[in-house]
Amino acid sequence: EDKVVQSPLSLVVHEGDTVTLNCSYEVTNFRSLLWYKQEKKAPTFLFMLTSSGIEKKSGRLSSILDKKELFSILNITATQTGDSAIYLCAVVLTGANSKLTFGKGITLSVRP
Amino acid sequence: DAMVIQNPRYQVTQFGKPVTLSCSQTLNHNVMYWYQQKSSQAPKLLFHYYDKDFNNEADTPDNFQSRRPNTSFCFLDIRSPGLGDAAMYLCATSRGLTGFTNEQFFGPGTRLTVL
């Protein structure tokens, strides 16, 4: 059975801290890994990772994939209260239908 | 702006009373998905359409049905909602072209309450 595991499940930090969110996976037919941010609404897309070792960066957020060890990390530097959200990791399997297998998500709370 | 639209945003229904949720997209994407997300859980895929080709997940209850009359619209029908069906229902789309790794674009969701 395909499995995506995120850790920790929840995290509380203070503004300015740096956090690392983890996502490991065991799937057949891996194609790519996606990170989403979900506040009290639908998930919004952050990154898509397909190749190992290539860091994707967007402002204070960055992510990297390790296809040998089957995991990805999402880093957030200089956290702000607006970063408080659930961060979802999802794996895309091969096939034209781009089905996603989601992890349970990591709830990040950033305190002022 | 191209987007994924879901209506209504909030739906209240009674136990056993059929309900239909709608999703439309202006992205002209081939694939449309319906997810169920309960509190503090990851979205769970119910089914998806690749064009008119319907794909049901093995563990999706028969109570849930879907229709896609054209590229732009997709409906989720819950024939006899139970209390356990109260959740956020998310519609998503992707280009779904062979050889592409496409992210899914999500609509804002419909929060269903069952009384």
Side-chain angles (χ1 to χ4, degrees), chain A residues 75-105:
Chain A
N75 277 321
I76 309 174
T77 59
T79 52
Q80 302 170 358
T81 54
D83 296 326
S84 297
I86 297 172
Y87 290 84
L88 291 166
C89 169
V91 170
V92 185
L93 307 179
T94 56
N97 297 355
S98 300
K99 284 175 61 173
L100 299 184
T101 299
F102 280 93
K104 290 188 175 180

Side-chain angles (χ1 to χ4, degrees), chain B residues 45-46 56-61:
Chain B
L45 182 63
L46 296 173
N56 198 33
E57 293 301 298
D59 56 354
T60 299

Side-chain angles (χ1 to χ4, degrees), chain A residues 40-60:
Chain A
K40 292 183 180 177
K41 51 186 180 181
T44 54
F45 173 76
L46 294 175
F47 297 112
M48 179 167 68
L49 302 158
T50 308
S51 302
S52 264
I54 298 174
E55 186 183 51
K56 294 273 182 102
K57 204 165 166 60
S58 175
R60 296 176 294 102

Side-chain angles (χ1 to χ4, degrees), chain A residues 1-38:
Chain A
E1 185 186 338
D2 296 325
K3 197 164 56 172
V4 177
V5 178
Q6 292 187 250
S7 63
L9 288 183
S10 65
L11 194 55
V12 180
V13 300
H14 288 98
E15 271 193 316
D17 288 349
T18 293
V19 297
T20 298
L21 311 180
N22 301 292
C23 176
S24 64
Y25 60 92
E26 288 177 33
V27 301
T28 52
N29 306 315
F30 174 89
R31 169 155 270 171
S32 60
L33 186 145
L34 309 179
W35 283 97
Y36 287 88
K37 178 182 181 182
Q38 186 173 27

